[in-house]
Amino acid sequence: MTAPLMPTYARAPLSFERGEGCWITATDGRKFLDFGAGIAVSALGHAHPQLVAALEAQARRLWHVSNLYRIPEQEALAERLTEATFADKVFFTNSGTESVEMAIKMARKYWSAQGQPQRHRIVTFDGAFHGRSTGAIAAAGSEKMCAGFEPLMPGFDTVPWGDHEALQAAIGPETAAILIEPIQGEGGIRPLPPQCLRGLRALCDQHGILLMLDEIQSGMGRTGHLFAHEIAGATPDVMMVAKGIGGGFPLGAVLATDAAAAPMTPGTHGTTYGGNPLACAVGLAVMDIVADPEFLAGVGRRGRHLGQRLSALKAEHPAIAEIRGEGMMMGLRLAEGLSPVKLVEAARDVELLVVPAADNVVRLLPPLIVSEDEISEGVARLDTALRSVA
Ligand code: PLP
């Protein structure tokens, strides 16, 4: 049935026809508890009434306008984002990869505009994932993503995660920026300790380098904070956002300080769809809910509950080597020899959706609206799945 599709995905033999909240119904009638949320996308679950209303109302008014004109919904969303963050300026995209591509361009432009085009190199980290464009695969540098796509875009210096000496050594007169995820997502839910993020900020200040945070997976409330870097109390110069910001509608953004955004003058960058009225109407509805401090406090509270339940599960299952993450972005690192894909399949057999990641990890990324009862149900299903693979 998937024959005309390019075989770039090893798809599960499963398709869905509708969803509500944290639940999603397959075409065969089975009802799944969705702890993957489209890989951290459906932040407010499925068919959230406020998002549906915003999309329907905008769909009746106006779908699309070129960025040749002012777009009030886009300006309103940019204002909401700048009010809520370190940023002064926003550019809207359709995806995470596009946000990363723009950030790479911004790092280069920032220095070339100051007469220092030789400062074009970007320091990145092992295990990173920034998307699948030629720039984004070169930035992450993993053999798996890059093989066969050489020659890679030059200008990236990838250092081992957590290796301070290698990081110091990678910084030189050509370094323009450091690009990092505050919590590696695809890399296996590897959080950067808050003191390390503060250290990176200090290092960037010391060398005049831009700090660019990829919060595509960790942002928009997922950690119980609007953005994960808030935990460390250190702010970036440039931040990439996508996934949760559209709650399932394709939308991304690059947020930046005035200084980092200054060289992005007319003609330096553009997009046909990015920030169109339909996407921004949904983005505004998402922000209305997610940026509310009470909502975020609730995510944090239920996230801690999820963490406690997972720790209790670990005590019963030697198959779990480690629990890590923050809020609703949790990873179970499995003991050596056990396969995350097998556990994901076993979870699917008991109608629970979870997502594999690198470093032998299974990710739990439930919608931020998940209730304590649904957390208990999800953990109980995970318990069953773990027993079946043990
Ligand atoms: N950066 C991070 C941290 C991601 O998790 C992803 C997607 O998983 C991307 C970038 C790429 O985003 P997209 O798939 O929307 O292009």
Side-chain angles (χ1 to χ4, degrees):
M1 242 164 49
T2 59
L5 296 175
M6 284 201 199
T8 59
Y9 277 93
R11 294 173 194 269
L14 190 60
S15 57
F16 300 96
E17 60 183 16
R18 78 194 110 90
E20 193 182 349
C22 298
W23 297 86
I24 184 164
T25 306
T27 44
D28 63 6
R30 291 159 75 200
K31 215 173 154 191
F32 289 74
L33 187 51
D34 187 0
F35 272 28
I39 317 193
V41 167
S42 310
L44 298 174
H46 301 282
H48 191 286
Q50 273 170 260
L51 268 55
V52 172
L55 186 67
E56 280 182 353
Q58 188 60 46
R60 285 196 196 90
R61 274 198 299 273
L62 185 63
W63 288 25
H64 179 77
V65 175
S66 163
N67 280 303
L68 293 172
Y69 308 99
R70 289 183 63 172
I71 299 175
E73 296 79 11
Q74 192 183 111
E75 291 177 19
L77 183 54
E79 202 165 314
R80 295 294 308 277
L81 287 165
T82 52
E83 272 167 13
T85 65
F86 72 95
D88 305 304
K89 292 282 189 283
V90 183
F91 182 96
F92 288 103
T93 67
N94 310 286
S95 69
T97 304
E98 285 170 79
S99 297
V100 169
E101 280 295 322
M102 189 197 191
I104 294 169
K105 285 178 71 178
M106 285 176 72
R108 293 178 168 194
K109 193 75 175 173
Y110 178 78
W111 289 107
S112 70
Q114 296 181 53
Q116 297 187 58
Q118 77 284 1
R119 277 188 88 157
H120 68 277
R121 303 195 68 82
I122 300 176
V123 175
T124 59
F125 295 83
D126 267 353
F129 182 78
H130 299 297
R132 299 290 195 150
S133 62
T134 48
I137 60 171
S142 88
E143 167 69 20
K144 195 173 140 205
M145 283 192 295
C146 294
F149 298 112
E150 299 86 357
L152 297 179
M153 179 175 155
F156 297 98
D157 297 305
T158 305
V159 300
W161 183 257
D163 187 337
H164 293 210
E165 274 172 31
L167 172 63
Q168 294 276 358
I171 292 172
E174 293 185 351
T175 306
I178 293 177
L179 168 61
I180 190 167
E181 298 154 84
I183 302 175
Q184 282 192 343
E186 305 301 310
I189 312 293
R190 294 204 289 182
L192 183 69
Q195 69 274 18
C196 293
L197 186 49
R198 288 193 290 274
L200 279 181
R201 177 70 272 176
L203 195 64
C204 287
D205 289 343
Q206 185 192 338
H207 295 276
I209 295 167
L210 295 177
L211 179 58
M212 308 204 297
L213 295 184
D214 180 342
E215 290 243 24
I216 287 161
Q217 195 162 142
S218 61
M220 291 307 294
R222 183 132 299 273
T223 60
H225 303 265
L226 190 55
F227 291 102
H229 68 261
E230 294 169 18
I231 298 167
T235 58
D237 302 289
V238 177
M239 176 169 73
M240 292 129 268
V241 183
K243 291 190 181 274
I245 192 174
F249 198 94
L251 177 63
V254 178
L255 278 65
T257 59
D258 271 331
M264 301 311 286
T265 51
T268 53
H269 199 63
T271 167
T272 294
Y273 291 118
N276 88 356
L278 219 39
C280 288
V282 179
L284 276 165
V286 170
M287 272 300 277
D288 278 345
I289 298 168
V290 171
D292 179 347
E294 261 182 54
F295 178 84
L296 288 168
V299 175
R301 212 169 35 244
R302 284 174 283 111
R304 283 188 291 279
H305 177 72
L306 173 62
Q308 284 157 7
R309 296 301 305 269
L310 292 176
S311 296
L313 197 65
K314 176 178 179 292
E316 284 176 36
H317 290 278
I320 305 176
E322 187 187 356
I323 305 285
R324 59 197 188 198
E326 191 74 39
M328 299 297 175
M329 187 171 181
M330 299 302 294
L332 269 64
R333 190 168 61 80
L334 301 183
E336 232 170 280
L338 290 171
S339 146
V341 172
K342 285 261 152 38
L343 181 57
V344 167
E345 285 169 2
R348 222 158 50 214
D349 288 343
V350 290
E351 284 86 30
L352 173 70
L353 300 182
V354 290
V355 191
D359 202 25
N360 226 33
V361 165
V362 171
R363 272 177 290 178
L364 271 57
L365 305 159
L368 308 182
I369 55 164
V370 68
S371 69
E372 289 203 2
D373 284 350
E374 286 163 335
I375 288 172
S376 299
E377 184 60 36
V379 173
R381 290 181 190 205
L382 200 54
D383 183 30
T384 310
L386 279 158
R387 283 178 206 289
S388 77
V389 295

